[in-house]
Amino acid sequence: MAYSYDDTNIFARILRGEIPNKTVLETAHTLAFHDINPSAPVHVLVIPKGAYVSFDHFCSAASDAELVDFHRAAAKVCAQMGVSLEAGDGFRAITNAGQHGLQEVPHYHLHIVGGRPMGRMIAKD
Ligand code: AMP
């Protein structure tokens, strides 16, 4: 099945400037902003500006420039938020995909969460 991008999703609307966001960092291909409902003292979403649904879609279809820009931006977010291993005590990077991943917003995003110990990674039930 081909990836199908719905450009009415909330992050597409943020990228078009239709909805405000609390920007942490913006680069040529990437936007990072605070999650509206944070799960930890630090909770930032890093998204590509391109129309990618999920991690696997982005990693298989994005250009080299987009891929490099995204990951460098994510590292800068970690440093800027004081959770990188150089600046702080670490973080968790999470991305949910599709139905089994319980992805709510169908535009690829990486959650950077930290500022406290993050607990177990995955519930066993
Ligand atoms: P996921 O379940 O991985 O798709 O995560 C979606 C995330 O987007 C959740 O953590 C929401 O709190 C967050 N979110 C939804 N709407 C907004 C918004 N307008 N601004 C910032 N974060 C949002």
Side-chain angles (χ1 to χ4, degrees):
M1 200 174 79
Y3 295 103
S4 159
Y5 183 82
D6 171 9
D7 71 1
T8 64
N9 78 75
I10 199 138
F11 294 168
R13 298 187 64 201
I14 284 176
L15 286 166
R16 288 196 295 269
E18 294 167 8
I19 294 178
N21 73 91
K22 289 170 79 179
T23 300
V24 172
L25 180 152
E26 182 169 7
T27 65
H29 297 293
T30 307
L31 180 68
F33 52 91
H34 292 281
D35 195 292
I36 205 166
N37 184 22
S39 298
V42 172
H43 190 165
V44 175
L45 302 174
V46 187
I47 72 172
K49 291 183 176 176
Y52 302 104
V53 177
S54 59
F55 172 78
D56 51 320
H57 186 203
F58 181 62
C59 291
S60 57
S63 67
D64 290 1
E66 289 175 297
L67 287 162
V68 170
D69 183 275
F70 181 88
H71 290 95
R72 297 265 194 257
K76 278 187 194 146
V77 166
C78 294
Q80 209 169 304
M81 297 309 297
V83 298
S84 69
L85 295 193
E86 272 190 335
D89 294 326
F91 58 92
R92 183 165 291 153
I94 304 168
T95 182
N96 299 315
Q99 207 178 333
H100 283 191
L102 297 185
Q103 180 179 8
E104 286 171 22
V105 180
H107 180 111
Y108 172 48
H109 50 284
L110 188 65
H111 298 253
I112 304 288
V113 286
R116 64 165 169 80
M118 296 312 304
R120 290 182 70 87
M121 189 164 72
I122 299 170
K124 297 220 182 235
D125 55 359

